[in-house]
Amino acid sequence: MDSNIIAAPDIAAAASQIFSPTILREMGMLVFLIVAALIVLPRPQRRLAVHPIVFLVLAATLLGISSLFSHLQMDGFFRLLAEFLLLTAVVRTCFLCVITILQRAMKWSPQRIYLDICLVLIYGVVLVPLLSNAGLKSSDLITGTSVLTLVLGLALQGTLGNIFAGIAINVHHPFAVGDWIQFNDRRDHIGKVKEISWRGTTVVTLDSVEIVIPNTQLAEMPLANFMRPQRHTRRSVHFVCPYSVPPGRVHSTVLNAIAGSRGVLAEPAPTIITNAFTERGVEYWLRFFTDQFEIRDSVDGGVRDRVWYALQREGITMPPAVMNVQLQQLPTEETPVPTREEIHERVLRGASLSQGLPDKALAILARESKLRRYHANEVIIRQYEPGRELFIVHTGTVSVASARSGSAAVEITRLGPGDYFGEMSLLLGEARSGTVTAVTDCELLVIDKPALAAALAQSPEMTDTLSRTVAARQKELGDRLDVGTAPENLDERASSLLAKIQKYFGVS
């Protein structure tokens, strides 16, 4: 019993010998700063508070070890090391809290290299007084620091070069975090700047590969910054068209086709020039701007798709490279290839609009119609615009949308193979009543007014069939929108359409 009472003061005395008032104050301050850091730091950065906790545990462990080696006179070394760990942890945690508060209050984001340099300087300011208190003279510190600086300068020439190059990059500021740069002529050396540190600059390439470039190399090589002087960059696409097609027609067709393509800016506006006369044909240079550099390849590909579909619709085929090839015909069983008119007639016979039309009229429509291709998401016709063409879906799917009373366009229906649209513009010359957009790549058979007029001239009686088919189509659409024509008015509607069609085309 008495031995336990006497042991308590002995334990307190031993603890007071291990943990001096100065060290206890530093530990208390460190614990307070760790709690403050956990409150101030954002959730993703709270892991940074782990380092001060580790330093605190290591310092306590070293102080405990110093008491064990007191008889060997090594306790002073362990105490000095523990105190340095505590001061380092205090400085680091305090610095972290102050920088976080400034970033939140002033919307300030300093470069990491500046923060690292400031932290190293603060560590030096803390270390010098600590060594002086340990008994080292100022002259010894200066001499030792000079020798250490010389040794480190010789051993770490490359590292010091990277540090000074990193400072020069941040002062000159040729690029910033988030910029897209190219640091030599290779395409795989184009990337987005992720971080600029004291050793190197981290770049994530277009292939999502992370590259760390030493600052000394980056400071010496020529750089291309795609984000300056403006955030948008110009892209180029070259293509060739036949000599028989006027350049003005190519220019207008292509510029209209790429309007609204993904990533293509309306301002600055795209331009196209006639670039060269080659063996294949006339070479055109299409220039456009995008502010989505990270998907530049997809933007270029989308533009090429639009160009191809637009030229195909206009009957303009890009000529292939000219080559001299000798072919040897082998005896094979010939497979009949359907003609253009046969394909068109097959599409016509599969459409509900053509049911009941005479064969003579179908043959004329098949000869005079055209098959056009549209890319997915391309607008085929726009609401309220004039039109003189009817479209029959051969392949793919299109979406029909309509806007009423200034409201946003709402999808009414989707049409597939055999369906048709644009009949009122063709038969009566009315403006488009809706906007039709290609949902997938599609082929559409197009019948214009001259083609239908030629067919009506040979078969005037087909006006009656067309008026009844269109009247039934309008009733079906009206029922779907709940504004349809009453059943008893169907014949009256067909008769009214018949009169208008005959008047519009001048037939009886």
XYZ file of all heavy atoms in Angstrom, residues 140-182:
315
model
N 29.694 27.899 -36.585
C 29.667 26.493 -37.006
C 28.481 26.235 -37.932
O 28.582 25.477 -38.917
C 29.581 25.574 -35.786
C 30.828 25.677 -34.912
O 31.883 26.056 -35.462
O 30.729 25.378 -33.700
N 27.353 26.871 -37.617
C 26.173 26.682 -38.462
C 26.410 27.230 -39.866
O 26.054 26.596 -40.863
C 24.948 27.370 -37.835
C 24.326 26.699 -36.612
C 23.214 27.573 -36.052
C 23.790 25.323 -36.987
N 27.048 28.418 -39.930
C 27.298 29.019 -41.240
C 28.266 28.161 -42.037
O 28.067 27.897 -43.224
C 27.834 30.451 -41.073
C 26.759 31.340 -40.443
C 28.290 31.017 -42.411
C 27.256 32.732 -40.097
N 29.356 27.702 -41.352
C 30.331 26.868 -42.038
C 29.703 25.565 -42.506
O 29.874 25.130 -43.647
C 31.521 26.568 -41.117
O 32.090 27.802 -40.667
C 32.570 25.743 -41.841
N 28.945 24.942 -41.610
C 28.309 23.667 -41.965
C 27.290 23.845 -43.075
O 27.188 23.014 -43.986
N 26.543 24.943 -43.027
C 25.538 25.193 -44.065
C 26.206 25.413 -45.410
O 25.724 24.944 -46.443
C 24.682 26.414 -43.693
O 24.072 26.195 -42.422
C 23.601 26.660 -44.735
N 27.347 26.120 -45.390
C 28.059 26.372 -46.652
C 28.571 25.076 -47.257
O 28.444 24.832 -48.461
C 29.220 27.341 -46.418
O 28.747 28.565 -45.874
N 29.171 24.229 -46.390
C 29.681 22.945 -46.887
C 28.526 22.082 -47.393
O 28.606 21.457 -48.459
C 30.461 22.225 -45.773
C 30.862 20.826 -46.223
C 31.690 23.022 -45.385
N 27.434 22.065 -46.615
C 26.285 21.255 -47.020
C 25.694 21.752 -48.340
O 25.324 20.967 -49.211
C 25.215 21.290 -45.925
C 23.940 20.469 -46.185
C 24.283 19.001 -46.332
C 22.930 20.678 -45.054
N 25.631 23.082 -48.489
C 25.107 23.655 -49.734
C 25.986 23.277 -50.915
O 25.485 22.944 -52.004
C 25.026 25.185 -49.612
O 24.190 25.532 -48.504
C 24.465 25.798 -50.890
N 27.317 23.308 -50.721
C 28.227 22.936 -51.799
C 28.057 21.475 -52.179
O 27.975 21.129 -53.369
C 29.672 23.217 -51.372
C 30.764 22.829 -52.369
C 30.585 23.620 -53.666
C 32.154 23.064 -51.780
N 27.984 20.601 -51.175
C 27.828 19.171 -51.453
C 26.509 18.893 -52.167
O 26.448 18.169 -53.163
C 27.914 18.365 -50.132
C 27.569 16.900 -50.391
C 29.304 18.483 -49.538
N 25.419 19.501 -51.645
C 24.115 19.281 -52.265
C 24.067 19.871 -53.673
O 23.453 19.305 -54.581
C 23.008 19.902 -51.406
C 22.735 19.213 -50.062
C 21.662 19.982 -49.292
C 22.301 17.765 -50.276
N 24.728 21.027 -53.866
C 24.738 21.634 -55.190
C 25.416 20.758 -56.218
O 24.993 20.674 -57.369
N 26.532 20.079 -55.817
C 27.231 19.187 -56.736
C 26.453 17.891 -56.959
O 26.426 17.348 -58.062
C 28.633 18.871 -56.190
C 29.604 20.060 -56.135
C 30.913 19.646 -55.448
C 29.890 20.591 -57.535
N 25.831 17.390 -55.894
C 25.135 16.091 -55.998
C 23.768 16.217 -56.648
O 23.279 15.262 -57.250
C 24.997 15.464 -54.604
N 23.144 17.382 -56.525
C 21.765 17.527 -57.004
C 21.676 18.602 -58.081
O 20.773 19.433 -58.070
C 20.842 17.881 -55.828
C 20.828 16.903 -54.653
C 19.954 17.448 -53.538
C 20.336 15.531 -55.101
N 22.622 18.582 -59.022
C 22.599 19.592 -60.066
C 21.314 19.508 -60.891
O 20.678 20.516 -61.193
C 23.815 19.427 -60.982
C 25.138 19.751 -60.309
C 26.297 19.638 -61.284
O 26.106 19.677 -62.489
N 27.498 19.483 -60.762
N 20.932 18.288 -61.290
C 19.724 18.117 -62.089
C 18.478 18.544 -61.344
O 17.608 19.226 -61.892
N 18.405 18.177 -60.055
C 17.228 18.539 -59.270
C 17.123 20.044 -59.087
O 16.043 20.625 -59.224
C 17.286 17.842 -57.899
O 17.358 16.428 -58.096
C 16.053 18.178 -57.080
N 18.260 20.684 -58.776
C 18.249 22.141 -58.617
C 17.902 22.831 -59.932
O 17.196 23.850 -59.950
C 19.614 22.621 -58.110
C 19.973 22.203 -56.677
C 21.389 22.638 -56.337
C 18.979 22.796 -55.689
N 18.398 22.258 -61.046
C 18.039 22.814 -62.346
C 16.545 22.749 -62.594
O 15.944 23.693 -63.128
N 15.920 21.625 -62.199
C 14.468 21.501 -62.348
C 13.738 22.521 -61.483
O 12.706 23.074 -61.886
C 14.019 20.088 -61.981
C 14.379 19.074 -63.044
O 14.365 19.382 -64.223
N 14.708 17.865 -62.625
N 14.252 22.758 -60.271
C 13.611 23.730 -59.371
C 13.639 25.126 -59.980
O 12.609 25.810 -60.053
C 14.295 23.713 -57.990
C 14.048 22.357 -57.292
C 13.778 24.849 -57.122
C 14.786 22.199 -55.984
N 14.825 25.560 -60.434
C 14.925 26.904 -61.004
C 14.152 27.002 -62.316
O 13.560 28.042 -62.621
C 16.389 27.280 -61.205
C 17.106 27.586 -59.925
C 18.084 26.734 -59.416
C 16.790 28.728 -59.206
C 18.737 27.017 -58.227
C 17.451 29.022 -58.008
C 18.412 28.159 -57.517
N 14.139 25.912 -63.109
C 13.344 25.923 -64.339
C 11.861 26.005 -64.026
O 11.095 26.684 -64.722
C 13.643 24.677 -65.170
N 11.432 25.306 -62.943
C 10.040 25.393 -62.531
C 9.670 26.796 -62.092
O 8.575 27.286 -62.390
N 10.600 27.472 -61.372
C 10.346 28.868 -60.974
C 10.238 29.754 -62.209
O 9.358 30.620 -62.307
C 11.465 29.358 -60.039
C 11.445 28.543 -58.726
C 11.310 30.844 -59.747
C 12.609 28.857 -57.806
N 11.133 29.536 -63.192
C 11.092 30.338 -64.418
C 9.788 30.118 -65.173
O 9.209 31.069 -65.722
C 12.287 29.981 -65.305
N 9.308 28.882 -65.218
C 8.043 28.596 -65.903
C 6.897 29.323 -65.227
O 6.013 29.895 -65.885
C 7.795 27.074 -65.941
C 8.762 26.399 -66.918
C 6.349 26.767 -66.336
C 8.695 24.893 -66.901
N 6.887 29.323 -63.900
C 5.798 29.988 -63.182
C 5.879 31.501 -63.292
O 4.849 32.188 -63.264
C 5.814 29.569 -61.710
C 5.200 28.200 -61.486
O 3.997 28.070 -61.341
N 6.037 27.173 -61.487
N 7.106 32.050 -63.412
C 7.242 33.496 -63.564
C 6.844 33.920 -64.972
O 6.061 34.857 -65.176
C 8.681 33.933 -63.234
C 8.887 35.394 -63.604
C 8.974 33.710 -61.754
N 7.383 33.219 -65.979
C 7.077 33.550 -67.375
C 5.639 33.167 -67.735
O 4.995 33.814 -68.548
C 8.057 32.841 -68.303
C 7.856 33.154 -69.747
N 7.900 34.429 -70.250
C 7.587 32.336 -70.799
C 7.676 34.403 -71.562
N 7.478 33.146 -71.917
N 5.149 32.097 -67.137
C 3.762 31.649 -67.265
C 3.389 31.340 -68.720
O 2.406 31.864 -69.248
C 2.821 32.719 -66.696
C 1.504 32.158 -66.238
N 1.398 31.193 -65.269
C 0.233 32.427 -66.633
C 0.124 30.900 -65.085
N -0.601 31.629 -65.906
N 4.152 30.460 -69.407
C 3.772 30.110 -70.784
C 2.534 29.237 -70.853
O 1.906 29.134 -71.905
C 5.006 29.364 -71.297
C 5.624 28.774 -70.069
C 5.367 29.773 -68.966
N 2.188 28.584 -69.758
C 0.978 27.773 -69.698
C 0.536 27.678 -68.252
O 1.279 28.040 -67.328
C 1.218 26.366 -70.280
C 2.370 25.630 -69.661
C 2.227 24.941 -68.468
C 3.621 25.631 -70.267
C 3.285 24.271 -67.900
C 4.692 24.962 -69.707
C 4.517 24.279 -68.519
N -0.682 27.223 -68.052
C -1.243 27.089 -66.706
C -1.902 25.731 -66.586
O -2.096 25.015 -67.587
C -2.263 28.205 -66.432
N -2.220 25.360 -65.365
C -2.929 24.099 -65.132
C -4.267 24.139 -65.872
O -5.018 25.107 -65.778
C -3.149 23.863 -63.624
C -4.005 22.627 -63.394
C -1.804 23.714 -62.915
N -4.531 23.099 -66.639
C -5.757 23.035 -67.437
C -5.550 23.357 -68.898
O -6.443 23.098 -69.714
N -4.375 23.910 -69.266
C -4.099 24.230 -70.666
C -3.700 22.964 -71.427
O -3.086 22.044 -70.874
C -2.969 25.255 -70.778
C -3.425 26.652 -70.401
O -4.637 26.833 -70.162
O -2.567 27.553 -70.325
N -4.003 22.952 -72.729
C -3.563 21.883 -73.628
C -2.304 22.370 -74.342
O -2.319 23.439 -74.972
C -4.643 21.540 -74.637
C -5.755 20.719 -74.051
C -6.884 21.164 -73.445
C -5.821 19.293 -74.010
N -7.654 20.114 -73.017
C -7.038 18.949 -73.355
C -4.993 18.269 -74.456
C -7.420 17.633 -73.148
C -5.381 16.957 -74.253
C -6.574 16.637 -73.607
N -1.212 21.608 -74.225
C 0.055 22.006 -74.824
C 0.621 20.861 -75.655
O 0.246 19.698 -75.478
C 1.082 22.428 -73.749
C 1.436 21.227 -72.833
C 0.586 23.613 -72.934
C 2.582 21.509 -71.877
N 1.519 21.225 -76.574
C 2.297 20.236 -77.326
C 3.764 20.562 -77.104
O 4.200 21.688 -77.379
C 1.951 20.282 -78.809
C 2.700 19.230 -79.625
C 2.211 19.155 -81.068
O 1.336 19.909 -81.471
N 2.764 18.247 -81.841
